[in-house]
């Protein structure tokens, strides 16, 4: 496969090929990527509850591959991306939405 990329002048596409292969393998293994962003680090108790809640959104043959990120700019709440779904429950998003509502009236 590497030879084919080289011979066709597509070596620059190698990172994309690797990423696509990794995605296919995660799907094959039933792994569902989940990224949770919070304003502060989450404690272990909250992480356990979060993991259980997230697992209720997937089938029995799937497993959550949880990654957490900290972004103080969201001010509070969570941003959850699970598979192809995205839910922004952050305070920053709510403030932006309410500000837009108030300024448009």
């Amino acid at each position: 496969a590497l030879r084919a990329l080289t011979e066709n002048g597509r070596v620059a596409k190698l990172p994309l090929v690797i990423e696509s292969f990794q995605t296919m393998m995660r799907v094959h293994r039933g792994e569902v990527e989940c990224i949770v962003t919070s304003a502060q680090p989450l404690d272990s108790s909250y992480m356990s509850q979060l993991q259980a809640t997230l697992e209720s959104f997937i089938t029995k043959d799937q497993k959550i591959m949880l990654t957490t990120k900290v972004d103080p700019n969201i001010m509070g709440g969570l941003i959850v991306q699970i598979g192809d779904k995205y839910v922004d429950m952050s305070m920053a998003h709510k403030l932006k939405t309410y500000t837009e509502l108030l300024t448009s009236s």
Side-chain angles (χ1 to χ4, degrees):
L2 187 57
R3 182 178 298 191
L5 289 173
T6 305
E7 289 172 356
N8 293 308
R10 295 196 170 116
V11 174
K13 301 281 185 186
L14 186 57
L16 183 59
V17 171
I18 292 170
E19 183 180 329
S20 297
F21 179 75
Q22 290 172 334
T23 299
M24 289 188 303
M25 289 305 299
R26 280 193 296 270
V27 169
H28 176 73
R29 291 189 295 255
E31 298 171 352
V32 178
E33 185 178 18
C34 181
I35 302 168
V36 175
T37 305
S38 60
Q40 298 177 353
L42 303 174
D43 64 33
S44 60
S45 172
Y46 193 88
M47 286 292 292
S48 297
Q49 292 175 343
L50 180 61
Q51 181 85 22
T53 301
L54 293 170
E55 287 174 355
S56 71
F57 290 99
I58 59 174
T59 62
K60 298 253 187 251
D61 59 334
Q62 294 177 316
K63 58 186 166 190
I64 293 284
M65 304 304 291
L66 182 59
T67 302
T68 58
K69 294 181 181 180
V70 175
D71 180 1
N73 293 322
I74 71 169
M75 297 187 225
L78 298 173
I79 298 173
V80 180
Q81 182 177 350
I82 182 168
D84 61 350
K85 295 170 183 64
Y86 179 88
V87 180
D88 188 342
M89 300 174 287
S90 67
M91 289 302 298
H93 178 72
K94 289 178 184 178
L95 285 171
K96 180 181 176 216
T97 301
Y98 293 141
T99 301
E100 289 172 356
L101 283 171
L102 289 172
T103 56
S104 68
S105 357

